[in-house]
Amino acid sequence: MRYLDELKKLNLPQNSFAIFGSGPMAIRNMREITDLDLIVKPDLWQRLKEKYSKHLVPRKNTGELRIGHISIFQNWLPWFDDVNALIDKADLIDGIRYVKLENVISWKKQMARKKDLQDIKTIQKKSAMKINPSIFREYDIRGKYPQEIDLKTAYALGRAFALSLKAKKIAVACDRRLESALIKPAFLLGVKETGCQIFDLGIDSTPAMFFAVYDKKLDGGVSLTASHNPLGYVGLKLCDKKGSLLGLNTGVAKIKQLAEKVVLSKSDVFKTAKTVKIDIAEHYYKLAEKITDFKKIRGFKIVLD
């Protein structure tokens, strides 16, 4: 991509700036650029303003330093007021942070210039998710890993699940499959980036996850399990705040629709989302004891798996 050599000569600290404007499109070969726009954190802005004071450009809502083909902005007002969050959540590509395409789309929608509207169409066309429709089953989402459900698909499904329920808090449980552990970070990052809090049961059963939704008064839950399928499969069993299983006609179709609209990062790295670890075993056992009449089940020969 053009002007990256100029940027590297400035020797800016990696975690204190991000490329925005049309730069996130250029790094993905979606369009050419004639300059490179950066946003920087407040402490870095102060240092740069002192060092490059002769390059300061008057702006109404922000400060700007123009150094060659590089434009450095103090903030992204009036569109985004939290520069630190934009930079921290930016995609890290080849050692440089790029503001997420979804934020670029939001900005270009508000600018609404002809070129911005064309850029939005380009982003949506070139970054649209291509999801195998066969993974959406009658009562769950299930497929082979990574041929049918890979990390990017898991991320898109997590984001779509939280958005479909407008969830603020969900529960997650996981079976012992290696494949489930592999997709879990990507799925939960998709959930987390919608602003949703995650309560993690760790390795636990699907019924326990359903109970956690009820017990903690959450907005929904997911169990990462491929059930009876052989090795190599992953799956998602989903429920809403009532503990109702989401099926193809009761929520999964909407998740599919939303997942296909998710704008993806170029990166294949999905960092671990922050979760709250919980243990509902004691409450779960008490409920089982409460609803079970032990006098009526004596004398049975029982096999436990």
Side-chain angles (χ1 to χ4, degrees), residues 26 91-92 98 107-108 135 158-159 194 205 217-218 221 231:
D91 296 321
L92 188 62
Y98 294 80
W107 170 62
K108 288 183 176 291
I135 69 173
R159 189 173 181 84
T194 68
S205 68
K217 296 180 172 58
L218 307 180
L231 290 175

Side-chain angles (χ1 to χ4, degrees), residues 135-142 225 236-237 246-247 252:
I135 69 173
F136 299 98
R137 310 293 181 90
E138 189 66 32
Y139 299 110
D140 62 5
I141 299 172
R142 202 180 306 176
T225 175
L236 308 167
K237 290 187 181 294
L246 299 183
V252 169

Side-chain angles (χ1 to χ4, degrees), residues 20 59 61-62 73 75-82 86 103 106-113:
F20 79 111
R59 285 273 187 170
N61 293 311
T62 183
F73 291 85
N75 53 46
W76 207 354
L77 293 174
W79 305 284
F80 299 98
D81 58 3
D82 192 344
L86 275 174
N103 296 131
S106 297
W107 170 62
K108 288 183 176 291
K109 280 182 178 178
Q110 294 183 68
M111 293 294 287
R113 298 169 297 187

Side-chain angles (χ1 to χ4, degrees), residues 81-107:
D81 58 3
D82 192 344
V83 171
N84 288 345
L86 275 174
I87 294 171
D88 291 340
K89 293 180 180 179
D91 296 321
L92 188 62
I93 304 173
D94 298 331
I96 298 174
R97 292 186 178 276
Y98 294 80
V99 168
K100 287 187 174 296
L101 286 175
E102 62 194 63
N103 296 131
V104 175
I105 289 176
S106 297
W107 170 62

